[in-house]
Amino acid sequence: MVTRRKLLNLLSTITLNASQPLLPRRADAFQRFPKTLRVYGTQASKLPEYEMPSVTWGVIQGRKEKLVSRVIIFDYLKGLGIIPDELHDLELPSTVEVMRERVEFLQKLGLTVDDINNYPLMLGCSVRKNMIPVLGYLEKIGIARPKLGEFVKNYPQVLHASVIVELAPVVKFLRGLDVEKDDIGYVLQKYPELLGFKLEGTMSTSVAYLVSIGVNPRDIGPMVTQYPYLLGMRVGTVIKPLIDYLVSLGLPKKVLARMLEKRAYILGYDLEETVTPNVECLVSFGVRRECLASVIAQYPQILGLPLKAKLSSQQYFFSLKLKVEPEGFARVVEKMPQVVSLHQHVIMKPVEFLIGRTIPAQDVASMVVQCPQLMALRVELMKNSYYFFKSEMGRPLKELVEFPEYFTYSLESRIKPRYQRLKSKGIRCSLNWMVNCSDQRFEERLQGHYIETESVGPRFCMGGKLELPGNDIVSDEEEESDDEVLYRRTVSL
């Protein structure tokens, strides 16, 4: 009985508690959650215009708000004179204040409204995330701060670049080509588009081809510093056709390699529009085809000059003032092609000096054709050599007419010492026998190790080996191949 009563009491207590309302407790529990959770829990599905926040700006904007802010920003840009047509598909900042910050930052760099209109996409770059890191890196590698604005004008796409992924690898590549660290900024200012090239593309292939034709790998760096545009030239369509054409004219690749090491800008001459017409122009003015290689080796710039106008002007001048016939003018160009760029008043100074020494004009013309280098000499040096010739040596003017190359030799280091040696031994010889040979050959002549007959004077080619007609005896040091002669001529110039 007792057990039964306890069981009934327990059941009645449970029934009483179950009949009490539990709603207040559930309400209290619901009130403890933040209101934001209730909004997202009950209303988010009813407001589809709310999306995930922008990764760039970190601001939650609805579609309507985006359209409104875009209209406001466009009105602001139009008020400054900036045309925003290209910005429709670009993600823009959420407020006009951010856009104003970008425009003012670019204007402080020195960019004008016209510069921005030339590339309005630069307005899509964040000041802190894009502009400042990129400009800071450019300043670090050697571009002076006052020149950063000009750099951005020339290559505004740099503002979109990643310093680590795109800019730093290009700089590392240039350093690997032996471009000096202090020259990196200079190279990039000349050719800023390098920062947008792929390393495994045109840059690598152009360098590889130049090395394959004989360019010293250690000279690639100086070549790039002098003419960085070669890194953007395609081998198959630009570099190789030019090299093949020059080789077809008789220039050995070894000589071409030396030319390019010293004057890399030759690669920039257009083959069809400049180089080929200039070569044909030389031929039309009487330059022999077998001499074209020598002309180009001595004066590579002749390939890129407005040659027809220069040759016409100089040929007329030589005929009118110097009494040199067109055929003689062609021989002058073959021996010293730099004459096409000499100013006429410079040419006349040594000519007037020779005429003033009572040398007939016709003889002066023959002297110029035989030794065009006379026209590039300083009159003061010619005076010293002439007075020594007349006062000390006491020789007739006829010998100067026959050997005008006398004026091209140094008075103090060659003419005087050799004349004193010959005078002490009582030897009398022609001028060309005395000065137109190496020191070793001159000593051999004095010792009389072999007998050398007089012959027609040697042909003088600037920077090249002297050719001694009628003389088959040469010392070992003077035996050189034709390629080596062109090589020496190229390097000496």
Side-chain angles (χ1 to χ4, degrees), residues 271-319:
L271 177 59
E272 300 297 332
E273 296 183 3
T274 306
V275 177
T276 302
N278 278 0
V279 171
E280 295 303 322
C281 182
L282 288 170
V283 175
S284 68
F285 273 83
V287 176
R288 294 167 292 185
R289 287 193 176 273
E290 59 269 23
C291 296
L292 289 174
S294 174
V295 169
I296 296 171
Q298 293 183 71
Y299 192 47
Q301 297 94 314
I302 203 170
L303 296 173
L305 296 174
L307 197 54
K308 187 174 183 179
K310 286 182 174 291
L311 284 174
S312 299
S313 174
Q314 293 293 64
Q315 186 186 67
Y316 177 77
F317 172 77
F318 270 68
S319 177

Side-chain angles (χ1 to χ4, degrees), residues 314-326 329:
Q314 293 293 64
Q315 186 186 67
Y316 177 77
F317 172 77
F318 270 68
S319 177
L320 180 66
K321 296 293 184 180
L322 278 63
K323 309 304 178 184
V324 175
E325 298 297 326
F329 176 73

Side-chain angles (χ1 to χ4, degrees), residues 5 14 21 40 45 70 76 80 113 116 134 150 159 185 261 308-309 330 334 342 365 377 401 408 413 417 472:
R5 288 177 183 175
I14 294 174
Y40 279 98
S45 60
R70 183 176 288 269
Y76 165 73
L80 297 176
V113 171
I116 297 176
V134 168
E150 188 68 26
L159 296 177
E261 288 171 3
K308 187 174 183 179
E334 290 175 357
L342 277 180
L377 295 176
V401 176
T408 66
S413 63
D472 297 331

Side-chain angles (χ1 to χ4, degrees), residues 388-395 406 411 414-429 431 434-435 442 446:
F388 182 82
F389 174 85
K390 291 295 292 182
S391 60
E392 296 293 330
M393 301 174 70
R395 300 197 176 201
Y406 166 83
L411 177 62
R414 176 162 293 197
I415 298 176
K416 281 186 179 180
R418 292 192 180 185
Y419 175 73
Q420 297 298 336
R421 294 286 302 279
L422 292 171
K423 185 177 179 181
S424 64
K425 289 182 174 290
I427 299 176
R428 181 172 178 82
C429 63
L431 291 176
M434 178 180 73
V435 299
F442 183 72
L446 291 183

Side-chain angles (χ1 to χ4, degrees), residues 439-491:
D439 291 337
Q440 178 182 348
R441 173 63 65 82
F442 183 72
E443 291 298 328
E444 291 173 354
R445 289 174 175 176
L446 291 183
Q447 298 299 326
H449 289 169
Y450 58 86
I451 298 175
E452 190 175 25
T453 59
E454 289 285 348
S455 63
V456 180
R459 191 173 72 179
F460 181 89
C461 291
M462 186 178 215
K465 184 179 68 174
L466 295 173
E467 298 181 9
L468 304 176
N471 181 16
D472 297 331
I473 305 176
V474 294
S475 60
D476 294 338
E477 292 185 359
E478 294 178 357
E479 291 181 351
E480 295 178 285
S481 65
D482 293 339
D483 290 1
E484 187 64 24
V485 172
L486 281 175
Y487 165 73
R488 283 183 51 201
R489 188 173 303 170
T490 304
V491 173

Side-chain angles (χ1 to χ4, degrees), residues 151-408:
F151 188 92
V152 174
K153 287 181 187 179
N154 296 331
Y155 188 59
Q157 294 88 342
V158 72
L159 296 177
H160 299 286
S162 166
V163 172
I164 297 176
V165 177
E166 297 171 283
L167 304 186
V170 172
V171 173
K172 185 178 179 181
F173 178 81
L174 294 175
R175 293 287 292 125
L177 295 178
D178 282 344
V179 177
E180 297 293 336
K181 185 177 180 180
D182 294 339
D183 293 331
I184 293 291
Y186 171 77
V187 169
L188 293 178
Q189 286 181 80
K190 287 183 70 174
Y191 195 31
E193 289 82 1
L194 280 177
L195 292 172
F197 288 169
K198 294 182 179 180
L199 305 185
E200 66 277 6
T202 305
M203 291 198 292
S204 297
T205 54
S206 60
V207 170
Y209 180 78
L210 291 174
V211 172
S212 72
I213 66 172
V215 174
N216 190 332
R218 293 190 175 183
D219 287 317
I220 294 293
M223 289 173 63
V224 171
T225 303
Q226 176 193 136
Y227 192 74
Y229 307 98
L230 67 89
L231 293 177
M233 294 179 175
R234 295 186 179 276
V235 172
T237 58
V238 180
I239 301 178
K240 189 176 184 299
L242 177 62
I243 298 299
D244 291 344
Y245 179 75
L246 295 177
V247 169
S248 71
L249 297 177
L251 278 164
K253 286 188 177 181
K254 180 180 179 181
V255 176
L256 278 174
R258 302 293 84 77
M259 286 170 51
L260 295 177
E261 288 171 3
K262 303 298 180 183
R263 298 176 177 87
Y265 54 81
I266 295 172
L267 293 170
Y269 295 156
D270 187 272
L271 177 59
E272 300 297 332
E273 296 183 3
T274 306
V275 177
T276 302
N278 278 0
V279 171
E280 295 303 322
C281 182
L282 288 170
V283 175
S284 68
F285 273 83
V287 176
R288 294 167 292 185
R289 287 193 176 273
E290 59 269 23
C291 296
L292 289 174
S294 174
V295 169
I296 296 171
Q298 293 183 71
Y299 192 47
Q301 297 94 314
I302 203 170
L303 296 173
L305 296 174
L307 197 54
K308 187 174 183 179
K310 286 182 174 291
L311 284 174
S312 299
S313 174
Q314 293 293 64
Q315 186 186 67
Y316 177 77
F317 172 77
F318 270 68
S319 177
L320 180 66
K321 296 293 184 180
L322 278 63
K323 309 304 178 184
V324 175
E325 298 297 326
E327 184 178 353
F329 176 73
R331 303 293 83 78
V332 169
V333 174
E334 290 175 357
K335 295 176 182 178
M336 195 182 80
Q338 293 87 345
V339 71
V340 301
S341 300
L342 277 180
H343 291 291
Q344 295 175 357
H345 72 276
V346 174
I347 296 174
M348 286 305 298
K349 287 182 179 180
V351 170
E352 291 172 349
F353 168 77
L354 294 174
I355 293 176
R357 306 285 81 77
T358 69
I359 300 177
Q362 195 62 35
D363 289 340
V364 171
S366 67
M367 293 171 69
V368 167
V369 173
Q370 182 176 338
C371 181
Q373 288 73 24
L374 288 175
M375 296 177 292
L377 295 176
R378 292 172 53 193
V379 174
E380 292 78 8
L381 298 179
M382 294 181 68
K383 286 181 180 179
N384 296 335
S385 297
Y386 175 79
Y387 291 139
F388 182 82
F389 174 85
K390 291 295 292 182
S391 60
E392 296 293 330
M393 301 174 70
R395 300 197 176 201
L397 285 177
K398 181 182 177 182
E399 292 197 30
L400 281 181
V401 176
E402 294 175 350
F403 189 71
E405 292 89 343
Y406 166 83
F407 288 104
T408 66

Side-chain angles (χ1 to χ4, degrees), residues 5 47 63 91 117 148 351 372 412 425:
R5 288 177 183 175
L47 300 173
R63 290 173 183 170
E91 185 176 5
N117 278 329
L148 288 175
V351 170
E412 299 298 331
K425 289 182 174 290

